[in-house]
Amino acid sequence: MVDAVVLAYFRMENRPEQKYYVNEKFCQEMFAFWYEHRDYLRILVRSECLGLFTEDFTQTVIDNQLGPNITHWSKQEQLPVTVFTVSGFISLLVYWVRTEFRETPEEMGNLFYRMLTQPMYL
């Protein structure tokens, strides 16, 4: 089931026009996808499968080079930056589940976009 949902997510994401371009609309679509699969997310958070999901999701991003366009990082830095970004995204999904999807997918997408594009610490 982990593989099926992860593959469905990446089929949604792997559109040529947005493969390496992240904008607010794209982030909102990511959270809309996961909102449609919220029962699945609830099961993952309550079960022992969250680690498996995290590993599978992260490896799929790495294997398919679907991470953000981070060419301003060195080749050596790109892999850990991608892992950090994916882990943060998954942690944000877990937060969203634990707060009973209090925010809309649009609000979560906008927040994630700002996290990716603005400094967190000044």
Side-chain angles (χ1 to χ4, degrees):
M1 190 168 177
V2 169
D3 288 341
V5 173
V6 168
L7 288 174
Y9 173 79
F10 284 108
R11 276 194 302 274
M12 179 276 305
E13 182 179 84
N14 198 14
R15 292 168 292 171
E17 71 274 10
Q18 291 191 350
K19 186 172 182 182
Y20 295 107
Y21 183 69
V22 175
N23 59 34
E24 284 179 287
K25 184 178 185 313
F26 181 70
C27 290
Q28 291 169 357
E29 289 172 356
M30 290 190 326
F31 279 92
F33 173 89
W34 289 110
Y35 188 74
E36 290 175 16
H37 294 84
R38 63 190 173 277
D39 290 336
Y40 174 80
L41 286 176
R42 285 183 182 115
I43 291 168
L44 274 177
V45 170
R46 292 182 183 131
S47 74
E48 299 294 320
C49 296
L50 191 56
L52 177 62
F53 172 77
T54 301
E55 288 180 27
D56 195 27
F57 193 91
T58 303
Q59 196 60 51
T60 302
V61 169
I62 292 166
D63 291 346
N64 295 287
Q65 299 176 345
L66 294 172
N69 186 4
I70 53 172
T71 55
H72 57 279
W73 295 92
S74 73
K75 283 282 190 199
Q76 185 178 358
E77 295 168 326
Q78 287 182 24
L79 181 59
V81 169
T82 298
V83 170
F84 178 81
T85 303
V86 172
S87 298
F89 175 70
I90 292 170
S91 294
L92 200 54
L93 288 177
V94 171
Y95 158 82
W96 201 29
V97 170
R98 290 189 173 146
T99 59
E100 295 296 324
F101 303 94
R102 183 172 48 212
E103 296 87 355
T104 67
E106 293 80 16
E107 291 169 330
M108 291 300 291
N110 292 341
L111 176 61
F112 186 61
Y113 177 75
R114 287 191 354 253
M115 288 176 177
L116 291 175
T117 60
Q118 297 177 11
M120 286 191 227
Y121 306 101
L122 299 176

